[in-house]
Amino acid sequence: MSDFAIGIDIGTTGTKTVLFDADRGIVAQTSRPATLFSDRPGWAEADPAQWVDNVVGSIAEVIGDAAIAPSAVKAVATTGMVPAVIPVDAQGRPLRRAILQNDARATAEIAELSAALADTDLVALTGAALTQQSVAPTALWLRRNEPEIFSRTAYLLGSYDLVLTALGAAPHVEKNWALESGLFRIAGDPLDAVLDAASLDSAMLAPVLSPGQVAGHLSAEMAERTGLPLATPLVVGGADHVLSAFAAGVDEHGDWLVKLGGAGDILVASDDPIVDQRLYLDAHPVPGRWLPNGCMATSGSLIRWFQSLVGGEDLIRLDTEAQQRRPAELLCLPYFLGEKSPLHDPDLRGVYAGLHLGTTRADMYRATLEAIAFGFRHHVEVFGELGIELRRASITNGGSKSTLWKQIHAEVLGAPMYPVIDHPGASLGAALIAAVGVGALAGWDQCRQFIRLGEPVLPDPVNVVTYDAAYQEWRSLGRATTDISHTLAERTRQ
């Protein structure tokens, strides 16, 4: 009889669940939409109760679709966006909506903490600079703006840790949430200088656990709601971009991934930890390996915004129209939620340049696709400056279904892009880790057999030349509009 594991991905726009057979791979999967709340400019929130409802319903659905006995499920693991921030009480119950990793509200707190920590080398100590993704500014914002909630806060948890806690685990945070939060040293211990500057009590930091550890067991309430056996092991998964890379075969030194999710991620496997203020550093699920990486505030979320702007037109039709337009006729800056890496500037704003009365929606849509690819190229430039060797490139997630977008990335990045076949993203990574965590798979090396790469998308040399020139213009446009973005951001905050 097969052993099964469930992997759950808490995403910005939806919750995805897969049922994994340790002999055959994925046997069932489903997804449910999640609502992104942006009540004010730069805000990005989600409802943890919706996440939990999605998880409960989707677990029952995949078990039913596969027609297996619930007792055959040996473990559940979660993954999700990082580092989302959810204040919870002592029982792990959320006290407000989650503040997501691309939220840009804490600009004043970032400036204040940057000044207070000017003499502390945060990049060397934590692996990342103080940015809008750091947890300390968000915590300080909560203390000042929602003091009643902050006074009841026992812990600050991440998205996927919150869900695992809701299923029955004790409050905890996963290793990469801790690493990207900026509250901990690379070695995993709390960084007192940051806690002191933000007036944060170390007791608010939940225990840090690593991928593959059992964090607890399914509660009686959740056993009844999901149909799974009581005390099913709950295994720590990891950050969505990390597990998506893991499940896309980013394993050997120099393997890299472009991930086209709601946000945009680019990761490269490294045998050594590489720190730079423009990038993030994550730990690979395989012990001893690292993932220097970048994360852009928008990717698929910007495409969805444009889609809504033109009346909800089908994306396949928009792709077909844009395919007929010439490359880089317009330029778009994709900073519609500010920007995370490599600029770390929450006050940047989106721009379209080159518009004229002959401009069509196809031109604008193509420029939007190209903008994300230019953002990834900016990261590739940084990797090169740091001496990081890039070898095989793969491309995943919802946006990778677009033939045009894959082609644009191959040409902007000047590299063959290997699509991952039938890749469900980070949910597969979580399921693999769940299986390893309870021994359903014998070890990390057993995971490779479930990953398939397609034929590479090859760049057209003519378009590569066009995009090389356009990328330089794109960088110049970014520099030219930065000051205006800042004044607009300040004025709209007032």
Side-chain angles (χ1 to χ4, degrees), residues 61-118:
E61 183 178 342
V62 293
I63 290 174
D65 288 348
I68 67 166
S71 59
V73 176
K74 304 304 179 186
V76 176
T78 55
T79 178
M81 62 198 100
V82 62
V85 178
I86 307 104
V88 302
D89 63 18
Q91 286 71 47
R93 295 174 299 206
L95 298 172
R96 71 175 318 279
R97 286 180 189 164
I99 300 176
L100 304 186
Q101 74 286 351
N102 52 2
D103 186 278
R105 75 185 64 197
T107 52
E109 288 76 15
I110 292 171
E112 179 181 333
L113 291 176
S114 294
L117 294 164

Side-chain angles (χ1 to χ4, degrees), residues 346-419:
D347 282 346
L348 291 179
R349 293 294 180 262
V351 173
Y352 285 93
L355 300 171
H356 54 86
L357 291 180
T359 296
T360 67
R361 74 178 186 184
D363 294 311
M364 295 185 69
Y365 181 67
R366 183 171 186 125
T368 307
L369 297 177
E370 292 167 342
I372 305 302
F374 285 143
F376 284 123
R377 177 159 174 171
H378 195 175
H379 286 86
V380 168
E381 219 173 56
V382 173
F383 290 155
E385 292 171 9
L386 296 173
I388 301 175
E389 181 182 7
L390 298 181
R391 296 176 182 170
R392 187 191 67 197
S394 52
I395 187 165
T396 65
N397 274 57
S400 67
K401 296 175 183 176
S402 165
T403 300
L404 173 61
W405 210 8
K406 284 184 288 193
Q407 189 69 44
I408 286 171
H409 276 86
E411 291 165 355
V412 169
L413 299 173
M417 306 298 295
Y418 287 83

Side-chain angles (χ1 to χ4, degrees), residues 110-168:
I110 292 171
E112 179 181 333
L113 291 176
S114 294
L117 294 164
D119 295 330
T120 303
D121 190 344
L122 294 176
V123 175
L125 293 171
T126 70
L130 186 72
T131 70
Q132 74 180 77
Q133 184 161 291
S134 304
V135 170
T138 300
L140 189 55
W141 186 94
L142 284 168
R143 175 189 290 277
R144 289 173 173 169
N145 294 275
E146 298 179 1
E148 193 275 332
I149 286 175
F150 194 83
S151 68
R152 294 190 288 132
T153 299
Y155 300 107
L156 299 173
L157 301 187
S159 60
Y160 48 102
D161 304 316
L162 180 282
V163 170
L164 212 63
T165 299
L167 291 175

Side-chain angles (χ1 to χ4, degrees), residues 197-230:
S199 300
L200 268 179
D201 188 339
S202 61
M204 204 174 283
L205 304 182
V208 179
L209 302 181
S210 296
Q213 283 188 260
V214 176
H217 296 84
L218 195 70
S219 69
E221 176 192 352
M222 286 300 172
E224 182 176 352
R225 290 183 63 186
T226 63
L228 291 177
L230 176 67

